[in-house]
Amino acid sequence: MRYFKQQDQKIETKHTLKKAFLVAALSGILPMAHAAPTSAPKLNLTLSEHSKAKIKRLMNDPKVWQQIPKQVTLCVFSPDGANGEAFEQATSYISELPRISQIAKDFGVDMKITRPTKLSMHIDLSYPKLKKTATTDINLRVYTDERVLTEDFRGKKCDGAGISNLRARQFNPFVGSIDALGAVQSYKQLVTVIQLLARPEYDAKMVNNDYEVVGVVPLGAAYIMVSDRRIDTLSKAAGKKVAVMNFDGTQRKLVQNVGAQPVSVDLLSVGGKFNNKEVDIMAGPALLFKPLELHKGMTDRSGKVVGGIIKFPLIQVTGTLIMHRNKFPAGMGSIAREMISQQLSPAFEFVDKTEREIPDKYWMDIREADKPGYIRIMREARIQMTKEGYYDPAMMKILKKIRCSQNPSNYECSLTDE
């Protein structure tokens, strides 16, 4: 019975955590939002004058029409396959296709979109001005393991993929450093970061070798979760067992720096280890709480709450949409980044909802007097890890500038070592 319950927990964990990645992956061709009210348009399709001008230039360049791919494979994640709820919810944007076709018409392009199967889409384009036509068949490849998806993307079995930013760091260290420890301290700052990176002046930074990041989406702040409320300061974490993701060296480094013992986990094992007291501390966004049943690791046998979630963000967890550059017309990436950066409200509504659904009894407020110490330790660790090559220095400067623009009285703003 325990085995089957663990399998059910794994499926539910994947289902909840990866919805946003699936949505992000599909947005590479037709930008879309996270879950949005069905009674209102899901997409904000407003374009800046810069993007409008770029689209016109692209449409009027005969070489661009030769670069439009005949086939595109997008790798997406759905724990229950193509018939799962996550896939159905992510593809609910199909109702927006008439609006997208109308916008194309505003640029003089006749666009016809059909969906032959649940896992395919066919696009016909016609531009009478240049007497150009093109067709693209989009195939969706559904995965149940992000690690395998990432490796298939690297092996060019996927033209585009939606993955966690922690995994995307290997393809673009600059964008992958958004999730640096303590570097983005609020959702307001994260909005600024995502919208800043969608500006034309950062187009070059979105490209690294064959890879181009075409979108970043928020998944929520990661909080420290403890099985014992007496572990309410970093100094009390010394000697404790702390769960660290097996593919992220920065987590292991931080845990070792505070004198704790790192225990290697993955997404499917971390909940069980925490609930069975095999680790004392873990970190993650609020959306993990329910599917991993983390309340079990925070209560004793009598049902009394003995652990909790320290309401102090360590990092902002994000998802990244990335593509192979040579499969798409040059310039498409910047337009996609702008569109995706405008679809943040529904994503943050989802994050806020998951945090509010956790009962108050599990939340722990740290003492105001302790917060500067947390910030200082994270800052020192971030600087050290930047020097050791874990984080991109240019991104660290950008994130500090954003922090100080929104909180200029912060002590770090007068320092020059980051």
Side-chain angles (χ1 to χ4, degrees):
M1 290 297 292
R2 180 179 179 183
Y3 169 79
F4 289 111
K5 190 168 185 179
Q6 288 175 335
Q7 299 309 303
D8 290 342
Q9 177 176 293
K10 289 181 179 181
I11 292 173
E12 178 63 19
T13 300
K14 290 180 177 179
H15 166 78
T16 305
L17 184 61
K18 299 299 183 178
K19 278 183 182 178
F21 294 158
L22 175 58
V23 172
L26 293 175
S27 65
I29 297 299
L30 300 172
M32 54 193 284
H34 291 252
T38 56
S39 59
K42 296 181 177 66
L43 304 179
N44 176 0
L45 298 177
T46 305
L47 290 168
S48 68
E49 292 304 316
H50 174 84
S51 288
K52 289 179 182 178
K54 175 168 280 191
I55 291 175
K56 290 178 182 178
R57 287 197 303 270
L58 290 173
M59 293 298 96
N60 287 301
D61 185 348
K63 292 183 293 185
V64 168
W65 286 88
Q66 296 174 3
Q67 296 170 356
I68 295 176
K70 295 185 183 300
Q71 289 191 334
V72 172
T73 299
L74 296 181
C75 293
V76 299
F77 190 100
S78 181
D80 303 323
N83 295 318
E85 181 184 351
F87 185 88
E88 291 296 334
Q89 186 166 343
T91 54
S92 64
Y93 76 99
I94 294 296
S95 61
E96 298 286 287
L97 294 183
R99 290 180 62 215
I100 296 170
S101 297
Q102 181 56 52
I103 288 179
K105 199 169 189 64
D106 293 340
F107 289 95
V109 178
D110 294 323
M111 174 186 286
K112 182 181 179 182
I113 305 174
T114 56
R115 196 181 182 191
T117 70
K118 187 173 290 188
L119 296 177
S120 66
M121 193 177 300
H122 181 81
I123 301 177
D124 287 305
L125 298 172
S126 175
Y127 191 40
K129 181 178 178 180
L130 294 186
K131 297 181 180 180
K132 293 289 184 179
T133 61
T135 62
T136 298
D137 287 307
I138 302 170
N139 298 302
L140 306 179
R141 183 174 293 169
V142 181
Y143 286 75
T144 57
D145 188 322
E146 187 191 24
R147 180 189 60 81
V148 175
L149 187 161
T150 303
E151 290 306 311
D152 279 2
F153 173 68
R154 185 199 305 279
K156 297 189 176 181
K157 295 179 182 178
C158 313
D159 301 313
I163 54 179
S164 68
N165 209 358
L166 290 176
R167 289 192 185 272
R169 188 184 298 156
Q170 61 190 288
F171 302 112
N172 189 310
F174 176 76
V175 177
S177 297
I178 293 174
D179 292 27
L181 185 67
V184 182
Q185 299 168 346
S186 69
Y187 294 140
K188 181 180 178 181
Q189 289 178 12
L190 183 57
V191 169
T192 302
V193 172
I194 294 174
Q195 294 181 342
L196 178 70
L197 297 184
R199 293 180 183 175
E201 55 263 38
Y202 287 97
D203 284 353
K205 286 288 191 180
M206 299 298 105
V207 174
N208 182 44
N209 298 322
D210 176 48
Y211 309 107
E212 181 171 3
V213 172
V214 295
V216 178
V217 293
L219 299 178
Y223 301 104
I224 296 174
M225 303 181 185
V226 297
S227 60
D228 187 338
R229 283 183 173 245
R230 290 174 293 184
I231 310 173
D232 58 357
T233 64
L234 283 175
S235 61
K236 294 179 182 179
K240 302 297 183 181
K241 293 182 179 181
V242 183
V244 297
M245 288 296 170
N246 54 17
F247 61 87
D248 182 25
T250 63
Q251 295 182 18
R252 180 174 296 274
K253 187 74 174 178
L254 174 65
V255 169
Q256 292 171 337
N257 283 355
V258 299
Q261 178 183 343
V263 176
S264 183
V265 300
D266 58 26
L267 180 61
L268 301 184
S269 65
V270 62
K273 288 184 180 296
F274 182 76
N275 292 338
N276 293 327
K277 313 298 183 182
E278 296 176 44
V279 295
D280 306 296
I281 304 169
M282 63 171 285
L287 57 83
L288 290 181
F289 184 83
K290 184 176 180 180
L292 291 185
E293 299 183 317
L294 296 179
H295 67 279
K296 293 181 178 179
M298 301 177 189
T299 54
D300 61 18
R301 293 183 178 179
S302 68
K304 179 183 177 182
V305 176
V306 294
I309 306 169
I310 299 176
K311 201 164 190 178
F312 188 84
L314 293 178
I315 67 171
Q316 296 294 333
V317 183
T318 58
T320 301
L321 175 65
I322 193 166
M323 69 181 188
H324 289 285
R325 296 172 62 211
N326 60 359
K327 282 293 295 187
F328 301 89
M332 173 186 166
S334 63
I335 297 169
R337 284 190 293 275
E338 179 182 315
M339 295 295 292
I340 293 171
S341 72
Q342 295 177 157
Q343 319 303 330
L344 299 181
S345 293
F348 281 113
E349 289 172 7
F350 170 73
V351 169
D352 181 63
K353 178 175 178 290
T354 58
E355 292 187 354
R356 285 188 286 104
E357 285 177 346
I358 297 177
D360 291 341
K361 61 183 179 181
Y362 294 109
W363 289 103
M364 297 170 56
D365 288 318
I366 64 172
R367 294 183 290 271
E368 284 297 323
D370 291 335
K371 288 182 179 180
Y374 274 79
I375 294 173
R376 185 172 288 105
I377 289 175
M378 289 192 294
R379 179 177 180 276
E380 291 171 353
R382 190 171 63 246
I383 291 173
Q384 177 187 351
M385 286 188 277
T386 301
K387 290 178 179 178
E388 295 178 5
Y390 287 100
Y391 300 137
D392 182 89
M395 177 59 78
M396 293 304 97
K397 290 180 181 179
I398 290 171
L399 298 182
K400 180 187 177 183
K401 186 176 181 179
I402 290 173
R403 292 195 302 273
C404 290
S405 69
Q406 296 186 10
N407 186 15
S409 63
N410 194 314
Y411 81 96
E412 70 168 332
C413 299
S414 62
L415 303 178
T416 59
D417 52 352
E418 185 178 20

